[in-house]
Amino acid sequence: MDKIVKGVLNFRQNVYPEHKDLFGTLASGQSPDVLFITCSDSRIDPNLMTGTVPGDLFICRNAGNIIPPHSNETGGMTASVEYAVAVLGVRHIIICGHTDCGAIKGALNMNALDGLPHVKEWLGHCRSAMEIVRERHDIGHNECIGHEHLDEAIEQNVLQQVQHIRTHPAVAAKLATGKVDIHGWIYNIKTGGVRCCNHNDTEFHEFEQQYAALIERLQN
């Protein structure tokens, strides 16, 4: 806790006074443009990697950056997605996975999670991604998926979560009217690189390629 306490003191004494006007504006409401869904992993900092400040991102985090498909069962992710899209009116949804993801490591061998029943049930929302990896490499259902397939599994998980979020009624409505865009990202912790897809893609592209037109406009 020493580091945390020192950090709060520094925030109150130095950071907050420097950004007092921003926090004053945020005190009465929020209007983020982006819903950013990522993993709970401590190595991921959405604001740091996107160069944003408080108020820019509506952030949801969980093990494996998972969005369960829509159902009549209410959950924290379902409620958060609905609120961000239907009430806050976000224009973009970013689902950001990352390299060396512990959740996906767990999904590679679900039998090893018998002592963690809630984790095992949660990672069931990754099953379609794992089945794709199994099918591609002819891996039997009685076998665990090898660590050499981890990066592929991480990518497939993001692609599947992009499809899951499209089943949520608020998202489906905004997609149909062109009022929201969905982006899948993979953040490389070691290199700082980001690979991307949109909601119709089946493959990832380098960040500079995916957003080439936007980058050109920003640089002119």
Side-chain angles (χ1 to χ4, degrees):
M1 283 296 291
D2 291 6
K3 188 174 183 178
I4 302 299
V5 171
K6 288 175 65 177
V8 173
L9 289 175
N10 180 64
F11 173 78
R12 291 171 58 189
Q13 295 168 4
N14 301 303
V15 179
Y16 178 83
E18 184 179 346
H19 301 281
K20 189 174 182 179
D21 290 344
L22 170 63
F23 290 113
T25 300
L26 294 175
S28 58
Q30 61 172 325
S31 56
D33 194 46
V34 176
L35 166 59
F36 197 99
I37 300 170
T38 193
C39 188
S40 300
D41 194 297
S42 63
R43 298 168 291 179
I44 314 301
D45 187 327
N47 291 117
L48 184 64
M49 68 177 291
T50 60
T52 51
V53 297
D56 288 342
L57 305 177
F58 189 82
I59 300 172
C60 295
R61 306 187 68 149
N62 63 63
N65 40 269
I66 288 169
I67 303 100
H70 183 264
S71 70
N72 291 328
E73 182 178 345
T74 298
M77 282 303 303
T78 301
S80 296
V81 167
E82 184 175 73
Y83 181 75
V85 175
V87 178
L88 296 178
V90 297
R91 284 282 296 114
H92 299 274
I93 300 171
I94 297 172
I95 301 172
C96 183
H98 65 94
T99 55
D100 195 49
C101 181
I104 304 305
K105 287 180 182 178
L108 297 179
N109 184 14
M110 296 286 277
N111 291 331
L113 300 176
D114 288 343
L116 300 169
H118 296 291
V119 172
K120 187 173 183 178
E121 182 177 359
W122 179 249
L123 293 181
H125 295 298
C126 301
R127 181 180 172 184
S128 55
M130 300 308 110
E131 291 299 317
I132 290 171
V133 175
R134 287 185 182 279
E135 184 71 18
R136 283 180 172 174
H137 301 283
D138 196 26
I139 301 170
H141 290 280
N142 59 338
E143 304 175 61
C144 67
I145 302 171
H147 191 273
E148 67 272 17
H149 302 300
L150 176 61
D151 288 345
E152 181 182 1
I154 289 168
E155 289 190 357
Q156 287 302 320
N157 180 57
V158 170
L159 290 173
Q160 293 305 308
Q161 303 313 320
V162 167
Q163 297 310 311
H164 286 176
I165 203 169
R166 296 178 65 176
T167 68
H168 290 245
V171 176
K174 298 297 184 181
L175 269 177
T177 53
K179 295 177 181 176
V180 73
D181 292 317
I182 301 174
H183 314 252
W185 287 10
I186 304 288
Y187 168 62
N188 189 308
I189 296 173
K190 185 175 183 178
T191 68
V194 178
R195 300 175 64 240
C196 315
C197 69
N198 64 38
H199 70 271
N200 289 318
D201 286 341
T202 58
E203 296 182 356
F204 286 82
H205 310 283
E206 294 300 325
F207 187 87
E208 290 78 7
Q209 178 185 354
Q210 183 77 8
Y211 299 106
L214 180 54
I215 291 171
E216 183 178 2
R217 179 170 63 82
L218 291 171
Q219 291 177 340
N220 291 334

